[in-house]
Amino acid sequence: MSDIVLGVDCSTTGAKCVAWDRHGRAVAQGRSDMPLSIPQPGWGEQDPEDWWRATVRAVRACVRTVGPDRVRALSITHQRESFALMDAEDRPVRPAMLWLDSRAGDQVDRVGTERIHELTGKPPNPTPALYKLHWLSENEPESLALTAHVADVHAYLVHRMTGEWVTSIASADPLGILDLAAGDYSDEILGGLGLDRSVLPRLVEPGTPLRGLRAEEAAELGLTTDVLVVAGSGDGQSAGLGAAVCGEGDAYLNIGTGLVSGCFGARFHPHTSYRAMSGAIPRTVSNEMFVGAGTFMVTWFLHEIAAGEPAGVVREDWWEQQARTVPAGAEGLFVVPYWNGQLTPTWDHRARGTMVGFGGVHTRAHIYRAILEGIAFELRWCLERAEEHFPAPVTEFVAMGGGARSDLWCQIFADVLQRPVVLAGHDEATALGVGILAAVGAGLFPGIPEAVAAMTRRGRRYDPDPGAAARYDDLFDAYGAIYPALRPVFPRIAEVAHV
């Protein structure tokens, strides 16, 4: 009996596949890493074929547990803003350009306008594909000349699975080339790019049934051709759906490679303090605060700074225990986490990460704690500006992602933000979000509200500690002074470092 749906999550560093039953229970999982290329400072690229290879490995590993005959449908979530250029033979023209690629800073300065923000809901910054497409037009016109298809990650994988160039509105919208209110590509923006609609995938609403798998690709995935592919959404919007963030005042906190916090909105209202994304629930929006450093910073610390752990320990767990021995505020050490630039609310792509306040007392444990605190401080800085324009105040944050496995970090977020942080019922809420869409598209539920009610739940709750919250209030005042003081320095650094 076909009673299982698959949520496939193709992220920046790997793919995972989670098999869900109709009660939102994860009955099997598969994972696979994929390489990330940074050929120059500020660049980020991948081979699109690696998206497919990693997806195949993850799906096959998952399906080996549940069996192919039980799988009814699948849907895809993915790293957003990343895109590939494909030629007429469906081969990559060049490496895919990723969301974290910041090479198009000059194009943002010259092309980014308030009008584009009004249309797309995305203040000018290097993250959306729009500015990288302008960079390609100026620096690699031969690549665009060979391009038959511009594909976000969802479009690429759906095409591999079904042979059709189609994508979800909630997957294409982060590229920055859609009129968000209309839910369609903007002819005005495409005209400025010199890009024809014919190279773009067809748009459908999230949860739309597409078609079954092609025979060769079904065999590669370890599935049958009866499996229905259902339109999914970008990872941020999917995470919100998997966390049941479906009403005004609801917000999620996705502590992944980058940190994204989204507040549900029933209507589109652009503002520079957040970026608006088309929601996983059709005709809704997710108003997002985006810190370009989440678990990325933890990984960076472990690769570049950490040393001396005992053999056989889980490194993240060991360093969390070391950080617990350090008092709140890391004895005056602050980390301003702009390793990938400053995003919401000021969109300063020239900004660079800093560590301020070093003294002889500081150790690696202080640095680790200061990283966790710095990302929480940055989110509070974003929230204080964005919340004035949200449809309702945020009452609590529903947390998920790899960073939400850290008890220390969740408590720091609660204390710094002075709001409860509640774990999503499953730490794979992003994959659950598209599992919900797959279940609706396959007819297991009459609509998204019914699927959300049946498949989601909440986990552990972290309430703010009054004493720690008061301490972090004082520390936040100091943190907030660092970026304004250094902002005039960053353009000079970019000039002399040629980045």
Side-chain angles (χ1 to χ4, degrees), residues 47-49 84-87 89-96 156:
D47 181 352
E49 183 66 20
L85 304 182
M86 310 299 294
D87 68 15
E89 303 298 322
D90 296 338
R91 297 172 302 198
V93 171
R94 67 176 318 283
Y156 178 86

Side-chain angles (χ1 to χ4, degrees), residues 13 257 294-305 315-316 368:
T13 56
T257 307
T295 58
F296 172 89
M297 288 289 295
V298 172
T299 302
W300 174 84
F301 173 88
L302 294 174
H303 284 176
E304 306 299 338
I305 295 180
R315 300 181 77 200
E316 292 91 335
Y368 193 78

Side-chain angles (χ1 to χ4, degrees), residues 112-148:
T113 63
E114 179 58 31
R115 174 60 177 164
I116 289 176
H117 178 209
E118 290 174 357
L119 286 168
T120 67
K122 296 150 191 66
N125 75 98
T127 309
L130 166 63
Y131 302 101
K132 300 178 182 75
L133 288 165
H134 276 287
W135 185 93
L136 287 165
S137 177
E138 295 174 18
N139 294 275
E140 294 184 19
E142 67 281 3
S143 294
L144 290 178
L146 294 171
T147 297

